[in-house]
Amino acid sequence: MKVPFRDFFADLPMTKKTLLLLGFIVLKFILQYALISPSYDLHRDEYLHLDQGNHLDWGYISVPPFTSWISKLILLLGNSVFWIKFFPALFGALTLFIVWKTIESLRGSLFSLILGSICILFSALLRLNLLYQPTSFDVLSWVTFYYIVIRYLQTENIKWLFVGAVVFALGFLNKYNILFLLLGLLPVLLLTKHRNVFAKKQLYFALLLAFVLVAPNLFWQYNNHFPVVHHLKELAATQLVNVDRWDFLKHQVLFFIGSFFVIISGLVGLLFYKPFRKYHLFFFSFFLTLIVFIYFKAKDYYAIGLYPIYIAFGAVALGEWLKTGWKKYLKPVTIAIPLLLFIPIYNIAFPNKSPQYIVAHPKTYKDFGLLRWEDGKDHTLPQDFADMLGWKELAAKVDSAYLKLPNRDKTLILCDNYGQAGAINYYTQQKIQAVSFNADYINWFDLTKKYENILRIKETTGSQTELQETSPFFKTSAIGGAITNPYAREFGTTLFVFTGAQIDINSRIKAEIQEHKDYR
């Protein structure tokens, strides 16, 4: 018997809906593992975050502590690439799950659930969830907090205030970026009828709970002279200064290009769809949050967490507007659009092509601005891709040089940046720990040893004079190799081998550490 078209998106029994949701989640995991070419190593940031699991603390120079807890778990699970990629994929799958639950809470149809899930699945989140960085959990924190606000507006149940406090605290302990959410939401909340929540004493108990949860990190920042302030100033001076506000807005469209019409539908629905009346504040909060990001010249991906909840609103609104008459025939088209527009994104936005292919076909990458790095200049590969090359080669050369040293246990491996140190520590086959004056490694020097040798890893800039400047203080000096992969951001990074120190290395290192800390 032929099934009428009108029944195609009819509601399914709950068990079948659950199976559908599980299908989307399984597909999410499959895609996350399939979108990385074996040509690439881990990303430089991933090495730092993994090393933080070896140095648990309530704070770090670059990030709050949440990622280090996950890193410790990864370490206990074997520290394999599978688990490193599992957790960002998990956070992405949970983001999809929260969007699904949001659509259900807004009484969305099966069509709305499918549309919302496809929009989340085939979006910039696939790229974001490839890398083990705080951004994946940051997006999850945003969408979960927004979902909690919706549930509170629906029920005015006090429990949601406390759940929201916990979610915000975890988001804060993961990445301070969630403060932008409050900057965009609170002023609007104060200007609507929902400001009566500020008259509820339970809100202040919830705020106290959030403060208690984040207090150890705030105390750590205080004890360490608020390194986050120095980090933000450095970020503004070296990276954010190159942010083009027009590029920021253009990339917001590109991140969710297949679902942009759904986001717009959500914003329109927040103004004109009657069941959304109680959620009007989300319309104004959307634009205020974007304005705050633009004002501070934030990086484009900082705002990604803003959009999933509006995809939920848009999917529900479209599910109602395309419910009857000739418009119901637009449903398959609506679902096909995110899939079709994902195809060109698939071809350029993921490290699923070899570096050689990208270098041979640069035009599309350049047209989409993907070759523009944080320095504001165009390069041969997208920056993230170049940051995933050369690391295994570096670690292998350090291992080879280390095995030839006299008194190997008295060797300091000193790097120029956290990527070098973290990669060596991850890939090394020896019992060694590289350090750097860069990022959190400045706090991880082991000065209980009396060093006699140094393996010095220098970036291309400054490596030309290293032998001349440092060799007078050692009995022997030599070049132990360099990164030869021309596509790596670290191309030319050189390994210098110095043995038989004629100076007190430990005293020099202590002075250098103090100088860096005084600067901060």
Side-chain angles (χ1 to χ4, degrees):
M1 180 177 176
K2 188 176 179 180
V3 179
F5 178 82
R6 64 178 177 275
D7 293 332
F8 183 78
F9 291 109
D11 282 343
L12 293 173
M14 186 57 65
T15 54
K16 291 187 178 180
K17 280 187 179 181
T18 302
L19 288 174
L20 184 61
L21 172 60
L22 288 174
F24 279 119
I25 289 174
V26 169
L27 179 57
K28 170 71 175 176
F29 276 99
I30 291 173
L31 286 171
Q32 295 300 162
Y33 283 98
L35 285 171
I36 303 180
S37 165
S39 303
Y40 298 94
D41 303 333
L42 296 177
H43 186 277
R44 78 164 62 231
D45 291 353
E46 293 179 295
Y47 299 116
L48 170 62
H49 299 315
L50 289 169
D51 241 354
Q52 288 168 345
N54 294 310
H55 305 273
L56 294 181
D57 206 340
W58 273 106
Y60 300 91
I61 291 172
S62 53
V63 293
F66 181 86
T67 304
S68 70
W69 305 340
I70 304 299
S71 296
K72 185 65 175 181
L73 180 56
I74 291 172
L75 188 64
L76 294 173
L77 291 169
N79 213 26
S80 67
V81 172
F82 173 85
W83 289 111
I84 294 168
K85 299 303 181 184
F86 173 83
F87 283 95
L90 174 64
F91 298 146
L94 290 174
T95 299
L96 190 154
F97 173 76
I98 295 297
V99 169
W100 181 286
K101 297 303 292 183
T102 303
I103 292 170
E104 284 187 336
S105 74
L106 295 171
R107 302 184 182 279
S109 63
L110 174 63
F111 163 78
S112 298
L113 292 169
I114 293 173
L115 177 61
S117 298
I118 288 176
C119 288
I120 292 295
L121 188 59
F122 297 101
S123 70
L125 294 180
L126 270 178
R127 169 75 180 269
L128 198 72
N129 299 149
L130 283 178
L131 302 180
Y132 178 61
Q133 297 174 328
T135 45
S136 290
F137 190 82
D138 182 52
V139 173
L140 175 60
S141 301
W142 278 62
V143 69
T144 305
F145 191 85
Y146 282 137
Y147 169 70
I148 289 165
V149 172
I150 290 170
R151 295 297 290 141
Y152 176 77
L153 295 179
Q154 290 171 342
T155 66
E156 294 199 2
N157 190 323
I158 296 302
K159 76 172 183 180
W160 292 112
L161 298 178
F162 291 92
V163 175
V166 173
V167 168
F168 179 83
L170 288 174
F172 183 89
L173 291 172
N174 170 72
K175 191 174 174 68
Y176 301 127
N177 188 55
I178 200 169
L179 290 172
F180 283 101
L181 183 154
L182 286 188
L183 290 174
L185 184 63
L186 285 181
V188 175
L189 191 62
L190 286 167
L191 295 174
T192 67
K193 64 179 181 181
H194 302 297
R195 61 180 172 272
N196 60 8
V197 70
F198 292 99
K200 297 181 183 293
K201 63 180 181 182
Q202 293 90 341
L203 172 65
Y204 300 97
F205 287 119
L207 292 174
L208 179 61
L209 172 62
F211 177 77
V212 169
L213 291 174
V214 304
N217 175 249
L218 297 177
F219 187 65
W220 183 92
Q221 285 285 345
Y222 173 79
N223 278 342
N224 289 272
H225 310 291
F226 291 97
V228 66
V229 175
H230 171 80
H231 178 69
L232 290 174
K233 287 181 179 178
E234 187 176 52
L235 188 68
T238 61
Q239 297 180 24
L240 301 186
V241 68
N242 297 312
V243 171
D244 182 281
R245 290 186 170 100
W246 172 245
D247 282 345
F248 174 90
L249 288 172
K250 181 173 66 175
H251 291 159
Q252 302 311 299
V253 177
L254 292 177
F255 287 150
F256 292 91
I257 189 167
S259 51
F260 186 69
F261 74 100
V262 181
I263 294 170
I264 296 298
S265 298
L267 292 169
V268 172
L270 286 167
L271 283 182
F272 301 111
Y273 182 45
K274 288 184 179 179
F276 285 178
R277 279 182 178 174
K278 67 176 66 174
Y279 314 118
H280 274 354
L281 65 93
F282 279 92
F283 176 86
F284 301 103
S285 178
F286 176 86
F287 293 102
L288 180 57
T289 305
L290 276 182
I291 289 170
V292 173
F293 276 124
I294 293 169
Y295 175 79
F296 285 104
K297 298 190 73 174
K299 294 183 182 181
D300 49 19
Y301 67 86
Y302 286 7
I304 289 179
L306 176 63
Y307 300 100
I309 207 70
Y310 293 90
I311 288 175
F313 280 120
V316 173
L318 284 170
E320 182 62 27
W321 295 336
L322 304 180
K323 193 173 183 178
T324 59
W326 64 269
K327 290 181 290 185
K328 67 178 181 290
Y329 294 101
L330 295 177
K331 287 184 177 181
V333 177
T334 304
I335 285 179
I337 289 174
L339 294 170
L340 293 174
L341 290 181
F342 175 74
I343 294 173
I345 300 299
Y346 169 85
N347 288 323
I348 62 170
F350 303 96
N352 52 5
K353 302 286 193 303
S354 69
Q356 294 83 354
Y357 176 89
I358 297 172
V359 171
H361 304 83
K363 186 178 186 305
T364 306
Y365 293 88
K366 183 177 177 63
D367 290 345
F368 277 88
L370 297 175
L371 300 181
R372 183 184 174 92
W373 287 13
E374 290 170 344
D375 61 7
K377 301 176 182 177
D378 281 352
H379 296 262
T380 56
L381 291 184
Q383 181 172 311
D384 276 350
F385 298 3
D387 272 332
M388 297 164 68
L389 295 168
W391 304 115
K392 288 181 183 178
E393 180 187 359
L394 174 63
K397 288 178 177 177
V398 168
D399 276 355
S400 177
Y402 179 80
L403 289 172
K404 298 173 185 175
L405 292 173
N407 300 320
R408 290 197 296 264
D409 59 328
K410 296 181 179 180
T411 300
L412 174 67
I413 302 172
L414 183 60
C415 303
D416 267 357
N417 61 60
Y418 65 80
Q420 298 164 356
I424 292 168
N425 293 341
Y426 182 76
Y427 290 115
T428 183
Q429 301 299 309
Q430 312 304 317
K431 293 183 179 179
I432 58 178
Q433 284 294 306
V435 288
S436 172
F437 297 116
N438 179 236
D440 301 295
Y441 286 94
I442 196 170
N443 296 319
W444 299 341
F445 280 79
D446 180 4
L447 296 177
T448 62
K449 296 180 181 180
K450 184 69 175 178
Y451 294 110
E452 295 181 6
N453 311 315
I454 290 183
L455 294 183
R456 184 72 171 97
I457 292 86
K458 290 284 292 183
E459 297 171 0
T460 305
T461 304
S463 63
Q464 296 85 352
T465 60
E466 181 65 23
L467 273 180
Q468 179 183 352
E469 293 176 354
T470 307
S471 58
F473 303 106
F474 292 84
K475 290 181 180 178
T476 67
S477 58
I479 294 177
I483 293 180
T484 58
N485 188 330
Y487 308 116
R489 188 177 178 188
E490 291 279 337
F491 173 62
T493 289
T494 305
L495 165 62
F496 296 91
V497 182
F498 301 102
T499 65
Q502 306 296 303
I503 57 171
D504 185 347
I505 294 177
N506 292 59
S507 295
R508 293 288 185 97
I509 294 297
K510 287 178 182 177
E512 190 78 15
I513 290 173
Q514 191 58 51
E515 183 178 337
H516 278 78
K517 289 186 174 180
D518 288 344
Y519 170 71
R520 288 172 176 170

